Amino acid sequence: MVYFLLLVAGLAVCLLLYMLYLAFQVNVKTHKLHVKEMRPGSQVHLFFISDIHRRKIDSKFIDSLMGKVDIVIIGGDLTEKGVPLQRTEHNIEQLKKMGDVFYVFGNNDREVGEQNLIRILEKNDVLLLVNRSVELTVAGTPIRLVGVNDGFSGKVNIYEAFQDVREEDIVIFITHAPAYFNNAKKVSKPHLFLAGHLHGGQIRFGPFGIYENGTFKEKDFSAELISNGFGTTGVPLRLGAKSECHVITMYGE
């Protein structure tokens, strides 16, 4: 019996160590989306990361993506209660190396003090999208980014966010919580939807988890990306829902 208990305890420790290892992996997923409105041969490369939480972004990881990304989009939960502001600023500085950075609030971000976070964002020229859009030219292609506030700690206004969007725009919709995808579809036809928040359930046993695993789904020249996120919340453990960030290539034929 003693040996059996020791075996069980050893297996439990090994499982916890494995889950800890999975939580700090760096997995870059790549996706492609054909956008019929884009010029033939044109390409736009987006880096999307959400739910960083307590993690520290390694400079070697960023260096491996240099020159492969046009803009960076942070899908909320850049930080959370208890995370030093210096670590958050370090992460932003690393992401800024790849290109211009755009950000939407997540439900945990305001825990460090909204003005504290805004001050760091503004200092590093990160554009905050709160129920608004911005038009920019990326690799010669006009793109409109539309971002909404976090619905848990702020107020979402879909109509305000899309008020400047034109029918001919190539639209990327960014929200922390994917629940707002359907709201966006009621007022516009975004080409790309980006969200995180669910962590893929974070700890899954086979097909079973609190939430579904992250997905990238294409349909009728548009796509929806729900990311498992880069970090963890609650406990620094993952199982069956790998940590991830994304490089999305939008292209014309």
Side-chain angles (χ1 to χ4, degrees), residues 102 127-129 132-137 143-147 161 164-165 169-170 172 174:
F102 302 84
L127 187 61
L128 177 57
L129 297 172
R132 59 173 291 206
S133 69
V134 60
E135 187 177 24
L136 57 150
T137 300
I143 298 287
R144 185 173 290 275
L145 301 182
V146 181
D164 295 325
V165 174
D169 285 342
I170 298 172
I172 299 172
I174 312 151

Side-chain angles (χ1 to χ4, degrees), residues 34-35 38-45 139 141 249-253:
H34 174 218
V35 178
M38 289 178 63
R39 290 180 294 102
S42 61
Q43 292 189 349
V44 173
H45 305 283
T141 300
T249 300
M250 301 170 66
Y251 67 95
E253 284 185 341

Side-chain angles (χ1 to χ4, degrees), residues 107-174:
N107 57 296
N108 293 116
D109 286 322
R110 289 183 168 98
E111 294 172 358
V112 299
E114 182 173 343
Q115 292 307 312
N116 291 332
L117 184 54
I118 289 176
R119 186 164 53 251
I120 292 173
L121 295 170
E122 290 180 344
K123 176 184 174 183
N124 290 277
D125 297 319
V126 175
L127 187 61
L128 177 57
L129 297 172
V130 178
N131 301 325
R132 59 173 291 206
S133 69
V134 60
E135 187 177 24
L136 57 150
T137 300
V138 184
T141 300
I143 298 287
R144 185 173 290 275
L145 301 182
V146 181
V148 292
N149 203 353
D150 168 63
F152 296 89
S153 57
K155 183 178 180 181
V156 174
N157 190 322
I158 291 289
Y159 293 98
E160 184 178 326
F162 281 91
Q163 66 180 349
D164 295 325
V165 174
R166 300 164 301 189
E167 188 174 346
E168 67 270 21
D169 285 342
I170 298 172
V171 178
I172 299 172
F173 175 62
I174 312 151

Side-chain angles (χ1 to χ4, degrees), residues 7-205:
L7 177 62
V8 170
L11 290 173
V13 170
C14 288
L15 178 60
L16 284 172
L17 290 174
Y18 178 62
M19 292 168 71
L20 184 66
Y21 163 75
L22 292 178
F24 289 93
Q25 274 190 326
V26 175
N27 299 298
V28 182
K29 287 195 169 183
T30 58
H31 316 275
K32 290 188 175 182
L33 173 64
H34 174 218
V35 178
K36 59 183 179 180
E37 291 86 353
M38 289 178 63
R39 290 180 294 102
S42 61
Q43 292 189 349
V44 173
H45 305 283
L46 313 171
F47 179 76
F48 179 68
I49 188 168
S50 69
D51 303 281
I52 298 171
H53 290 287
R54 309 190 72 87
R55 286 192 71 172
K56 184 176 181 179
I57 296 176
D58 184 68
S59 60
K60 292 182 180 178
F61 158 54
I62 296 299
D63 291 344
S64 71
L65 293 171
M66 294 293 288
K68 301 176 182 179
V69 173
D70 296 309
I71 64 170
V72 176
I73 299 172
I74 304 173
D77 279 0
L78 170 63
T79 185
E80 65 177 30
K81 183 178 179 181
V83 177
L85 294 174
Q86 294 90 337
R87 186 185 305 168
T88 301
E89 184 159 18
H90 162 86
N91 288 339
I92 292 172
E93 289 170 350
Q94 292 301 315
L95 294 172
K96 280 286 293 185
K97 291 180 182 178
M98 293 189 288
D100 292 336
V101 179
F102 302 84
Y103 161 86
V104 296
F105 275 115
N107 57 296
N108 293 116
D109 286 322
R110 289 183 168 98
E111 294 172 358
V112 299
E114 182 173 343
Q115 292 307 312
N116 291 332
L117 184 54
I118 289 176
R119 186 164 53 251
I120 292 173
L121 295 170
E122 290 180 344
K123 176 184 174 183
N124 290 277
D125 297 319
V126 175
L127 187 61
L128 177 57
L129 297 172
V130 178
N131 301 325
R132 59 173 291 206
S133 69
V134 60
E135 187 177 24
L136 57 150
T137 300
V138 184
T141 300
I143 298 287
R144 185 173 290 275
L145 301 182
V146 181
V148 292
N149 203 353
D150 168 63
F152 296 89
S153 57
K155 183 178 180 181
V156 174
N157 190 322
I158 291 289
Y159 293 98
E160 184 178 326
F162 281 91
Q163 66 180 349
D164 295 325
V165 174
R166 300 164 301 189
E167 188 174 346
E168 67 270 21
D169 285 342
I170 298 172
V171 178
I172 299 172
F173 175 62
I174 312 151
T175 170
H176 181 60
Y180 292 103
F181 283 178
N182 287 334
N183 299 65
K185 293 174 186 177
K186 293 176 182 177
V187 297
S188 185
K189 295 180 180 179
H191 297 78
L192 179 61
F193 299 77
L194 300 174
H197 180 55
L198 303 181
H199 294 217
Q202 192 163 309
I203 297 175
R204 307 179 58 83
F205 295 94

